[in-house]
Amino acid sequence: YKPPTSEELSQLKETEDLFHSSLLRLQIEELLKEVTLKETKKKKIDAFLHEINSLLSAIPETPETELTDQAWLPEGVKVPFLQVPFSVKGRFRFLSPAELKVVGSYLLGTCIKPEINVDVAVTMPREIFQDKDNLNQRYHRKRALYLAHIAQHLSKEKLFGSVKFAYMNSNHLKPILLLRPQGSKDEKMVTVRLHACPAPGLFKPSRFYPSKNNVRTAWFMEQSTPKEGAPEPPTPHYNNSIICDTVLLSHLHFLSSAAADFPGMKDGLALLKVWLNQRQLSKGLGCFSGFLVSMLVAYLLMKRKIVKMMSGYQVLRSTLQFLATTDLSVTGISLAKDVDASLPVLDDFHQAFEVVFVDPSGLVNLCADMTASKYHQVQFEAKRSMEILDDRTVDGFQVLLMTTKPMLRAFDHVFHLKHVSKLQGACKKMQLLNELMDRGGNYVAAALPFVVSLLARGLAGRALLVTHSLPQISEWPIDAEPPKHKDVGPLTFGLLFVPEFAAGMLEKGPQADHPEALDFRTFWGEKSELRRFQDGSICEAVVWQADTVCQKRLIPEQIVRHLLKLHMDIPESSICYTGALLESVIRTGQEASGTGEEAMVSVVCSYDDLSRKLWNLKGLPLTVTAVQGVHPALRYTDVFPPIPMKPIYSFHTRIRTKHLLLPSEEKPCPAYIAPLKIVCHMEGSGQWPQDKEAIKRIKAAFHLQLAELLQQQHQLVCRPAVTHTDVYKDGYVFRLQVAYHREPLILKEVVTPEGMLKYQDTEESRQLELETLHLPYLTSSLHGLQQQHPAFGSTCRLSKRWVSAQLLSDNISEECVDLLVAFLFLHPAPFTPPSSPQVGFLRFLDLLATFDWKNNPLIVNLNAGLTDADLTEIKNKFVAARSRLPIMFIATPKDRWSSMWTQERPSAQILQRLLVLASESLRALEEQLMDPLNSQDVKMVFRPPLDFYDVLIHLNPNQIPRHLESVDRPLKSFSRGVVKNSTAVKILFPVVDYDPVQCYLQELREMCCRSWSDGVAVVPRRLWVEMKGWRLNQGRALALGCLAQPLFSTQDAFSDLALFFYDKHGGEVIAVLWKPLSFQPQPFKVSSMKGRMVTTLNNELVCIPNVEAILEDFEVLGEGLVKSIEARTEKWTI
């Protein structure tokens, strides 16, 4: 072997010190290869640029005319500038460009795919300008006319696939011309952007200092004479837009000297641009553009924060570190080296602009259009990114550079200002005439900083970040009128909350006699009132109305609507607030005010009280060592939490001897009462038997005794059974199950033929461990997570409601969905943990759709129980044993290797279906939520596509106990034989856990005439029942589960032939999918005749499924429950 070279050694050292792993280095190198331009493409682009150069120099001149006389422009081209007001002094003629220069990222080699833009500076000759062209938009209009004339000539050339206008960074004062080559593939290859700029030395720089005025009020307001003695306001943005055209070339020279002998700068800039693109920060008015970030890297190089030895990754880190720790809206920075005393100082810039970054000339503010709020968002993102890069447990590359952060998923609440034209009125109300003049009449740009700072003040303490989308205007054909200010479309605002304070109902102000009190009253308007507080102080305060948790979550909406109406005259109808649109699907009951959080809290209180009573029971032979809840409601994740119920006797059939109620045949099915399962651990003792059957009998005795003691000591109505005891308390039914800690071990005992005793997992022991150990642990961990993150429970509920609505709830366990959602809260990178259920749900869909289930385990580090070493070990073992593990592998601290919650389900096919549905739902939802002008029927993604299934079994709504939980609430509902009541004590025990549809589904999956294989091939199910002498109302008998012994063997099932799908929350349809394999003709065998009939194929006897008989069976089995069966015969053939 050769010893490593010094370069290799330094690379190894760097990998060790900087990157968490050599993988990160490789990933970054691979990404850079992906986004940089290939040499062959560069040659094509160079050739295209040469042709443009020769065409531009051949454009004919025009005679001189008044600026307002534009008749010389032919029909096919419109001036790309909003000429308001139209009249302006000055004369214009077209002369050939004095010079053409490529500027910007293409020459530096820092432009990246997918959008390759080449910037060309077209210098307009000095002769076309007059003395006062810096005033009243004269320069801007000449620039626009110059580009219009070029556009009109180039549009005739065959060389171009398209010739269009656009606004540079959506700034109305700066139109540019876009040229793309001919040919569909080449047109996407490159966009050449022509920037018209003035001849050097044309303007005196001192005219454009931030404090100077270049737009006269009288001209802008179209008044004939200026007001006497009124001072003209400064126009810094206007000045900046002219002066930045004069420094295009000097910026290029500055950047190329920085990039010389510095390969790391090129790579670092490519990474930074990808980082900005993924966060939607690099396009639009006031964006953090690629050019800006290049200047920032050059600044850091100048200040020695970066040296030319650094790699691209180090440049990325240093730049993010600088952004995270420097607030340019407070302390600006400047690239000007030798400070000329006559140049404006940073303070002058700070007075004129929100964010300050001065270029090398000392005249241009590179961040002129950026709002302070946008810079704070960049700063926040940089801080978050540095945390992620320093966290060894996170795949920093994937999270920072490969994950997009659209506003809907990044912010807790998002709202849209539907009609930006309303900002005109806001400018009037806030008297922003000077800003309007400065921005060339662009009321969106003028009002936006004021809107954001107003909201930031109103939400101070509640919101970590208040930000806005960047106004963007797309390009337009040269024969169209230029877009108006309102064409930016709706503006979107994002709010990121501080979870502890976001839902506070009180806004406490200063004391009444303090001078600030007046300011507080002015800010909040009539909402402000005097209140006396407990400490005796009398203060100004605002109290927001909200009764339920769900309404408290929307207090920010009340604040936003109130402030925009009060200070900006923006009507409520113009604001589309999409913070909680999805929550309607987890509301129940007629009074749909809350989303069930209160109901969940009262269940937990009742459970806590019951646990205390169990701990203190007197007269038990062994004490209770632990009481643990396992029902989802006890970890706040039950989709529809139980409501306290008391049965109405007249709706039921009574069995008086046993104090029981049964459903009545004449009445609709009673409301579903879910038993809330609780595991009751008894202390160990030498008295416990060591035989599994004996243990079961002891447990049964405990169940009887618990019921007796609870009845005697606490007057609770109980109903004991062998495997559990049901307790009716506060209108809920709790199901107690006694557990003995050694029982799973005893169930694992197996005696070998040699008489040896050994321990191995059995199905029974696994099930018991799951119910008595793992489920209680999971429930208590997630209960703790809910205490930390109040949005966790509702996010789980939305996610489970969606899974169920897609008819897949039987194919993926509730615990599995709870863990997926827990992952979003424990490992939120690159986001922050969700503070609203809706954003949590959107991220859940994204996780399902984008996680690489095949190659990665999903590790949910509950209670931070896993170390770095554990995580690595789990990943390595997972890779080694991949083929034997479940398709969806979820590891937790207490379940590292087996992924117990996904062991049986989902299957690979179901997971694939889930991924498709998740990505489609996410796409549809985000489209709806980001388009405030269309109807926002967000329930669409909760309505499953049914055209995919072969048979639909339509059910009778009065036999669906949870009918009111359906996504689209039914118009008419049935009285279900219960009343809301949490104080009933002496009652007959209600019907528990009875859902005819679930019983029917179980029948369908289990019952298949096995006797068909005993020689009677096709006997309709109805005959069988009569032949056996059963004269029962089929539907009732089977549904009630009264048949302890089924009529036929439960081992064989329709499940060999079909899969059944159902939405357990009030679905009216069971969807059936035939299994393709079962429809292949099979050789005739008497032993395999279930559900088949005999036919001949090529003179041979074969069996095929007897679909008609099966469908008839479906109907007979569900008599009274099934309304109709819709067979889609065109979907399958035999």
Side-chain angles (χ1 to χ4, degrees):
Y1 292 115
K2 240 176 20 177
T5 62
S6 60
E7 194 179 322
E8 285 170 337
L9 278 172
S10 73
Q11 266 200 357
L12 287 167
K13 177 97 178 79
E14 184 194 31
T15 303
E16 194 179 339
D17 294 350
L18 268 182
F19 298 91
H20 292 325
S21 63
S22 48
L23 179 66
L24 179 59
R25 175 177 212 126
L26 295 171
Q27 286 170 318
I28 284 178
E29 284 169 4
E30 210 44 48
L31 174 72
L32 289 170
K33 273 187 216 158
E34 195 61 38
V35 296
T36 44
L37 262 182
K38 307 276 183 296
E39 278 306 315
T40 48
K41 254 203 183 139
K42 278 189 188 163
K43 282 182 182 152
K44 278 187 185 173
I45 293 173
D46 288 343
F48 184 53
L49 287 170
H50 280 303
E51 295 193 60
I52 292 174
N53 193 0
S54 53
L55 285 171
L56 283 175
S57 49
I59 293 176
E61 299 177 3
T62 63
E64 192 167 69
T65 57
E66 285 297 318
L67 252 182
T68 47
D69 168 19
Q70 293 162 6
W72 58 273
L73 265 180
E75 280 293 295
V77 64
K78 298 274 193 300
V79 183
F81 193 84
L82 294 172
Q83 304 183 64
V84 183
F86 184 70
S87 64
V88 66
K89 293 178 183 167
R91 302 177 67 74
F92 176 77
R93 60 188 291 213
F94 182 89
L95 296 173
S96 284
E99 186 176 28
L100 291 172
K101 272 273 165 53
V102 175
V103 292
S105 58
Y106 179 69
L107 275 189
L108 295 171
T110 59
C111 65
I112 62 162
K113 294 190 283 195
E115 288 180 28
I116 303 290
N117 293 318
V118 179
D119 296 289
V120 176
V122 180
T123 308
M124 300 180 280
R126 188 182 278 265
E127 293 78 30
I128 68 175
F129 293 101
Q130 280 92 38
D131 254 0
K132 292 190 175 175
D133 276 353
N134 55 307
L135 295 178
N136 301 350
Q137 301 182 358
R138 290 184 208 172
Y139 163 75
H140 292 97
R141 294 188 187 192
K142 285 189 175 177
R143 198 178 163 281
L145 284 165
Y146 198 84
L147 286 173
H149 186 64
I150 292 178
Q152 186 256 327
H153 275 274
L154 295 188
S155 63
K156 300 173 190 163
E157 297 293 335
K158 292 272 192 298
L159 176 66
F160 303 109
S162 74
V163 176
K164 289 184 172 177
F165 288 127
Y167 290 131
M168 183 63 189
N169 286 334
S170 297
N171 183 346
H172 285 262
L173 295 172
K174 304 295 285 288
I176 51 174
L177 186 61
L178 307 182
L179 307 173
R180 295 191 180 93
Q182 187 70 44
S184 59
K185 195 174 171 200
D186 288 349
E187 199 171 329
K188 293 193 187 87
M189 173 177 81
V190 64
T191 303
V192 173
R193 308 195 286 192
L194 297 188
H195 303 256
C197 56
L202 176 69
F203 296 121
K204 247 196 183 147
S206 59
R207 284 181 180 172
F208 299 107
Y209 287 178
S211 54
K212 295 287 174 65
N213 168 281
N214 280 304
V215 181
R216 304 290 187 250
T217 314
W219 170 80
F220 189 75
M221 301 301 289
E222 300 190 77
Q223 296 158 345
S224 50
T225 53
K227 276 187 189 165
E228 282 303 311
E232 292 287 355
T235 52
H237 291 88
Y238 175 93
N239 303 349
N240 204 72
S241 71
I242 297 180
I243 197 76
C244 71
D245 280 353
T246 64
V247 288
L248 287 175
L249 277 171
S250 65
H251 285 170
L252 174 72
H253 296 315
F254 175 73
L255 282 175
S256 57
S257 72
D261 311 321
F262 187 3
M265 178 165 171
K266 215 173 174 177
D267 294 349
L269 284 175
L271 294 175
L272 281 161
K273 285 181 183 181
V274 171
W275 182 82
L276 287 164
N277 286 344
Q278 295 290 35
R279 281 152 186 71
Q280 300 183 340
L281 294 168
S282 60
K283 276 199 189 100
L285 183 67
C287 63
F288 207 101
S289 62
F291 166 67
L292 191 54
V293 86
S294 311
M295 292 303 253
L296 183 62
V297 170
Y299 170 81
L300 294 176
L301 184 66
M302 191 175 97
K303 292 287 178 200
R304 307 275 170 83
K305 297 259 173 74
I306 284 178
V307 292
K308 292 201 171 188
M309 293 292 293
M310 284 186 175
S311 67
Y313 177 66
Q314 284 169 304
V315 170
L316 170 76
R317 278 191 72 113
S318 307
T319 311
L320 291 179
Q321 180 62 32
F322 176 80
L323 282 171
T325 51
T326 317
D327 187 351
L328 297 183
S329 66
V330 181
T331 50
I333 54 175
S334 172
L335 283 161
K337 281 194 182 130
D338 42 345
V339 181
D340 182 345
S342 64
L343 282 174
V345 292
L346 280 176
D347 279 352
D348 299 335
F349 282 104
H350 272 297
Q351 275 173 359
F353 302 103
E354 289 206 326
V355 185
V356 177
F357 178 14
V358 181
D359 83 323
S361 71
L363 296 166
V364 179
N365 178 14
L366 301 170
C367 294
D369 291 329
M370 192 180 292
T371 61
S373 132
K374 200 36 94 178
Y375 182 76
H376 290 146
Q377 186 189 346
V378 172
Q379 207 181 357
F380 175 81
E381 288 291 355
K383 272 186 195 141
R384 187 81 191 93
S385 300
M386 286 308 292
E387 287 165 19
I388 290 165
L389 284 175
D390 292 336
D391 182 351
R392 289 179 171 273
T393 60
V394 178
D395 177 359
F397 173 80
Q398 187 64 35
V399 163
L400 287 192
L401 300 171
M402 305 307 282
T403 311
T404 52
K405 288 190 77 171
M407 279 186 97
L408 272 177
R409 266 177 267 152
F411 293 96
D412 295 314
H413 279 188
V414 166
F415 70 91
H416 309 280
L417 180 58
K418 284 199 276 194
H419 315 111
V420 284
S421 53
K422 295 281 184 263
L423 289 173
Q424 266 174 301
C427 288
K428 253 198 201 107
K429 175 137 188 180
M430 298 195 75
Q431 300 170 328
L432 301 180
L433 173 67
N434 299 351
E435 282 77 6
L436 276 172
M437 281 169 45
D438 187 18
R439 303 274 194 167
N442 184 350
Y443 51 83
V444 179
L448 191 57
F450 294 91
V451 174
V452 179
S453 60
L454 176 78
L455 294 175
R457 181 178 166 187
L459 293 164
R462 294 171 191 273
L464 204 59
L465 208 56
V466 177
T467 189
H468 56 88
S469 62
L470 294 163
Q472 280 190 50
I473 289 195
S474 47
E475 53 195 54
W476 68 95
I478 60 170
D479 58 356
E481 291 292 343
K484 308 270 190 299
H485 302 304
K486 66 171 191 295
D487 293 336
V488 293
L491 269 182
T492 305
F493 294 84
L495 311 176
L496 191 65
F497 293 133
V498 181
E500 298 80 27
F501 306 114
M505 291 170 68
L506 177 75
E507 208 76 52
K508 190 176 173 186
Q511 291 199 354
D513 49 1
H514 282 201
E516 301 91 59
L518 178 64
D519 181 40
F520 186 86
R521 280 198 297 278
T522 319
F523 185 74
W524 289 108
E526 78 281 0
K527 290 269 184 201
S528 178
E529 54 193 26
L530 279 178
R531 287 194 164 230
R532 181 190 289 278
F533 289 88
Q534 280 178 335
D535 59 359
S537 61
I538 298 173
C539 297
E540 290 289 343
V542 179
V543 178
W544 302 101
Q545 283 310 305
D547 302 325
T548 60
V549 172
C550 147
Q551 286 167 341
K552 284 180 186 164
R553 273 200 291 266
L554 285 174
I555 286 176
E557 176 177 8
Q558 292 185 42
I559 295 174
V560 166
R561 289 183 184 278
H562 172 69
L563 289 176
L564 291 181
K565 181 88 188 77
L566 179 68
H567 294 284
M568 298 255 171
D569 270 348
I570 294 173
E572 298 220 346
S573 57
S574 291
I575 297 167
C576 173
Y577 200 96
T578 60
L581 285 183
L582 287 170
E583 292 178 23
S584 59
V585 296
I586 51 172
R587 284 196 180 137
T588 52
Q590 289 352 85
E591 66 310 313
S593 53
T595 46
E597 285 85 356
E598 292 75 21
M600 214 92 73
V601 170
S602 80
V603 171
V604 173
C605 289
S606 180
Y607 156 74
D608 287 341
D609 184 47
L610 180 61
S611 337
R612 277 191 293 277
K613 290 191 161 107
L614 286 167
W615 285 91
N616 301 324
L617 271 187
K618 301 196 171 51
L620 272 175
L622 293 174
T623 57
V624 174
T625 57
V627 179
Q628 294 175 313
V630 294
H631 190 271
L634 302 175
R635 51 178 186 259
Y636 300 96
T637 67
D638 196 11
V639 180
F640 293 104
I643 292 163
M645 305 269 202
K646 173 185 174 228
I648 303 170
Y649 297 164
S650 61
F651 265 78
H652 296 75
T653 312
R654 294 200 221 181
I655 303 181
R656 281 190 181 281
T657 51
K658 295 191 173 171
H659 301 291
L660 292 181
L661 297 174
L662 285 180
S664 159
E665 278 190 30
E666 287 73 52
K667 297 281 191 330
C669 166
Y672 182 73
I673 296 181
L676 300 160
K677 202 162 162 198
I678 295 175
V679 177
C680 204
H681 290 270
M682 307 308 272
E683 67 176 325
S685 146
Q687 304 292 306
W688 278 98
Q690 299 302 304
D691 173 67
K692 58 183 178 184
E693 290 307 319
I695 290 176
K696 281 179 187 163
R697 284 173 173 71
I698 298 275
K699 277 163 61 177
F702 269 119
H703 290 135
L704 287 166
Q705 196 165 12
L706 280 172
E708 202 176 308
L709 295 173
L710 284 169
Q711 229 148 354
Q712 282 170 11
Q713 294 172 27
H714 300 289
Q715 292 72 53
L716 294 173
V717 184
C718 300
R719 188 175 66 181
V722 177
T723 53
H724 59 264
T725 284
D726 283 348
V727 181
Y728 178 83
K729 176 180 187 299
D730 304 330
Y732 305 112
V733 174
F734 291 96
R735 179 161 286 180
L736 305 183
Q737 183 182 335
V738 167
Y740 165 49
H741 69 95
R742 291 205 64 238
E743 189 182 2
L745 193 66
I746 291 164
L747 287 176
K748 288 181 185 178
E749 288 177 358
V750 179
V751 180
T752 61
E754 295 80 47
M756 297 278 289
L757 183 67
K758 66 172 193 172
Y759 293 95
Q760 66 183 43
D761 279 349
T762 61
E763 194 48 53
E764 204 179 356
S765 73
R766 257 201 297 268
Q767 193 55 36
L768 190 70
E769 274 184 338
L770 202 69
E771 285 175 15
T772 59
L773 290 175
H774 298 297
L775 201 49
Y777 166 75
L778 181 73
T779 302
S780 66
S781 300
L782 296 181
H783 181 286
L785 192 62
Q786 166 69 24
Q787 307 305 324
Q788 286 174 302
H789 301 286
F792 168 71
S794 303
T795 304
C796 282
R797 294 167 56 212
L798 269 178
S799 306
K800 288 198 251 195
R801 185 68 197 91
W802 177 82
V803 168
S804 184
Q806 302 302 337
L807 315 183
L808 294 173
S809 55
D810 288 338
N811 296 284
I812 179 167
S813 66
E814 285 208 29
E815 293 76 20
C816 169
V817 179
D818 286 348
L819 282 171
L820 289 175
V821 175
F823 177 83
L824 299 172
F825 283 83
L826 293 169
H827 314 281
F831 305 101
T832 49
S835 286
S836 80
Q838 181 165 296
V839 75
F841 173 63
L842 290 171
R843 289 189 208 164
F844 165 77
L845 292 178
D846 182 56
L847 172 70
L848 262 186
T850 57
F851 191 80
D852 181 2
W853 296 104
K854 188 175 164 203
N855 300 315
N856 288 310
L858 186 87
I859 303 173
V860 185
N861 197 355
L862 293 168
N863 307 330
L866 296 168
T867 61
D868 288 2
D870 294 335
L871 298 176
T872 313
E873 188 188 2
I874 291 172
K875 284 176 188 162
N876 294 342
K877 286 199 177 175
F878 170 83
V879 172
R882 181 63 190 112
S883 54
R884 299 192 297 280
L885 296 172
I887 185 80
M888 186 186 228
F889 187 89
I890 300 179
T892 62
K894 291 265 197 264
D895 169 29
R896 299 181 186 193
W897 317 120
S898 65
S899 185
M900 63 181 70
W901 309 110
T902 59
Q903 199 105 69
E904 309 293 325
R905 51 196 183 149
S907 64
Q909 294 84 344
I910 295 289
L911 181 62
Q912 186 52 40
R913 173 87 182 138
L914 207 56
L915 306 192
V916 172
L917 287 167
S919 73
E920 272 309 296
S921 298
L922 184 67
R923 187 192 56 73
L925 251 184
E926 294 198 332
E927 218 168 83
Q928 279 178 320
L929 293 173
M930 284 310 280
D931 183 8
L933 299 172
N934 281 348
S935 72
Q936 296 190 304
D937 178 15
V938 290
K939 284 186 173 178
M940 190 179 85
V941 300
F942 289 85
R943 297 186 192 111
L946 294 174
D947 44 3
F948 173 74
Y949 299 100
D950 298 319
V951 179
L952 298 179
I953 303 175
H954 295 278
L955 305 173
N956 188 353
N958 70 355
Q959 292 301 332
I960 304 173
R962 310 192 209 183
H963 195 218
L964 277 177
E965 296 176 2
S966 55
V967 171
D968 295 297
R969 191 149 291 121
L971 295 171
K972 67 171 192 154
S973 62
F974 304 89
S975 172
R976 296 271 174 210
V978 288
V979 285
K980 270 188 83 167
N981 186 333
S982 56
T983 53
V985 185
K986 293 232 153 99
I987 59 149
L988 293 178
F989 215 91
V991 179
V992 180
D993 200 15
Y994 168 53
D995 185 343
V997 190
Q998 291 300 335
C999 302
Y1000 175 58
L1001 275 167
Q1002 201 176 339
E1003 292 289 328
L1004 288 180
R1005 290 183 178 128
E1006 290 180 352
M1007 302 278 268
C1008 176
C1009 276
R1010 185 167 204 178
S1011 307
W1012 286 348
S1013 60
D1014 299 345
V1016 187
V1018 185
V1019 177
R1021 185 57 199 255
R1022 194 170 48 247
L1023 292 182
W1024 262 115
V1025 177
E1026 287 169 6
M1027 282 158 47
K1028 297 265 184 181
W1030 291 76
R1031 293 277 189 282
L1032 276 170
N1033 170 340
Q1034 264 293 66
R1036 251 322 140 212
L1038 293 173
L1040 271 172
C1042 294
L1043 304 177
Q1045 291 302 313
L1047 300 184
F1048 312 106
S1049 160
T1050 59
Q1051 297 312 307
D1052 291 311
F1054 282 133
S1055 52
D1056 291 351
L1057 293 168
L1059 296 171
F1060 299 91
F1061 300 91
Y1062 178 62
D1063 174 4
K1064 65 182 178 189
H1065 297 294
E1068 291 186 16
V1069 137
I1070 293 175
V1072 185
L1073 200 57
W1074 299 122
K1075 291 190 174 175
L1077 287 176
S1078 60
F1079 275 77
Q1080 290 172 357
Q1082 293 182 356
F1084 171 67
K1085 271 194 203 149
V1086 172
S1087 60
S1088 63
M1089 284 301 294
K1090 12 171 216 193
R1092 297 179 179 274
M1093 61 183 190
V1094 181
T1095 182
T1096 52
L1097 181 73
N1098 304 335
N1099 298 331
E1100 278 183 31
L1101 281 181
V1102 290
C1103 307
I1104 54 170
N1106 184 353
V1107 175
E1108 280 181 25
I1110 292 169
L1111 295 186
E1112 190 183 353
D1113 265 18
F1114 286 177
E1115 203 157 355
V1116 172
L1117 263 177
E1119 193 178 319
L1121 172 65
V1122 173
K1123 192 160 69 174
S1124 64
I1125 291 190
E1126 181 188 342
R1128 303 170 166 217
T1129 36
E1130 73 280 358
K1131 284 286 308 270
W1132 36 269
T1133 49
I1134 296 173

